Amino acid sequence: MAKQGEAADLRIGVCDWSLGGAGNLKAMEEAAKAGLEGVQISPAGAGDKLSFCSDKVRDAYRQAAKDTGMRIASVGLAITNECPLAGDPRGPAWLEQAIDTAAALGCRPILLAFFGRGDLLDDKTGQLKAKDVDVVVERLKAAAPRAKDKGVVLGLESWLSAKDTVAILDRVASPAVQMYYDIANST
């Protein structure tokens, strides 16, 4: 973060799903053509082993970054919108895989999305889904030491209020779990 009086090192990037779909290596080329500087990569689908976890795919991302001059800015787990972290039994393994992938590709942030089926708010009542939050907290607590050891951060992106998000972060109590803030979510 820039200190007062210093220029911020601001870079503009894009999510791969905005440029041809999740898990699409061509997003690196498209981002470069658009004059962007980075791409958030995500897995193509929700299998037991996420598509970006193999050495072959990671090597392909490294080569695409080199060829295009793009930075792999972050890893995104938007699959948790349709396959909720709170309920999908593959969730803990996905966290480990995303952590390992981010570390292997030299990026620090990991977006954990909580929208759609994965939303932690009940659409009808607007109340927190307490049982889901409890499961998410336990899964994040279990993954946080691995994330911290690998130098990555699990960032929560949701519709939750600041108060509810801070309550989750306090319960997890790890610097490796933070908020992934998108200004569109607050509007």
Side-chain angles (χ1 to χ4, degrees):
M1 182 170 181
K3 294 179 183 174
Q4 188 172 0
E6 292 181 355
D9 183 19
L10 182 65
R11 297 180 183 155
I12 306 296
V14 68
C15 303
D16 62 358
W17 60 75
S18 297
L19 294 175
N24 184 355
L25 275 166
K26 295 280 184 194
M28 303 290 276
E29 292 174 28
E30 295 301 319
K33 287 177 189 173
L36 300 172
E37 299 162 294
V39 174
Q40 175 177 280
I41 67 164
S42 56
D48 289 340
K49 187 171 183 183
L50 299 175
S51 62
F52 55 33
C53 292
S54 74
D55 289 336
K56 180 180 177 180
V57 172
R58 289 176 184 167
D59 287 344
Y61 273 110
R62 284 185 198 96
Q63 189 61 49
K66 183 178 177 183
D67 292 347
T68 62
M70 284 291 98
R71 179 173 179 230
I72 299 171
S74 60
V75 167
L77 280 185
I79 59 171
T80 54
N81 290 327
E82 292 306 314
C83 303
L85 183 60
D88 197 299
R90 300 170 292 183
W94 290 342
L95 290 175
E96 289 181 5
Q97 293 169 30
I99 290 165
D100 294 347
T101 296
L105 295 175
C107 59
R108 188 165 184 249
I110 300 170
L111 173 132
L112 299 179
F114 294 94
F115 303 105
R117 291 184 55 218
D119 197 340
L120 297 174
L121 289 176
D122 186 297
D123 286 340
K124 294 177 184 167
T125 66
Q127 299 297 310
L128 215 53
K129 295 178 185 174
K131 289 180 182 178
D132 286 0
V133 170
D134 290 344
V135 172
V136 167
V137 166
E138 290 309 311
R139 289 182 172 187
L140 292 172
K141 279 184 174 182
R146 182 188 202 101
K148 185 177 179 191
D149 289 347
K150 299 226 177 203
V152 302
V153 172
L154 300 167
L156 314 181
E157 183 186 14
S158 72
W159 300 116
L160 297 180
S161 68
K163 179 182 174 185
D164 289 338
T165 302
V166 169
I168 291 171
L169 296 176
D170 286 347
R171 288 178 63 191
V172 176
S174 171
V177 179
Q178 299 179 22
M179 176 187 248
Y180 202 110
Y181 189 71
D182 180 334
I183 59 170
N185 296 339
S186 59
T187 58

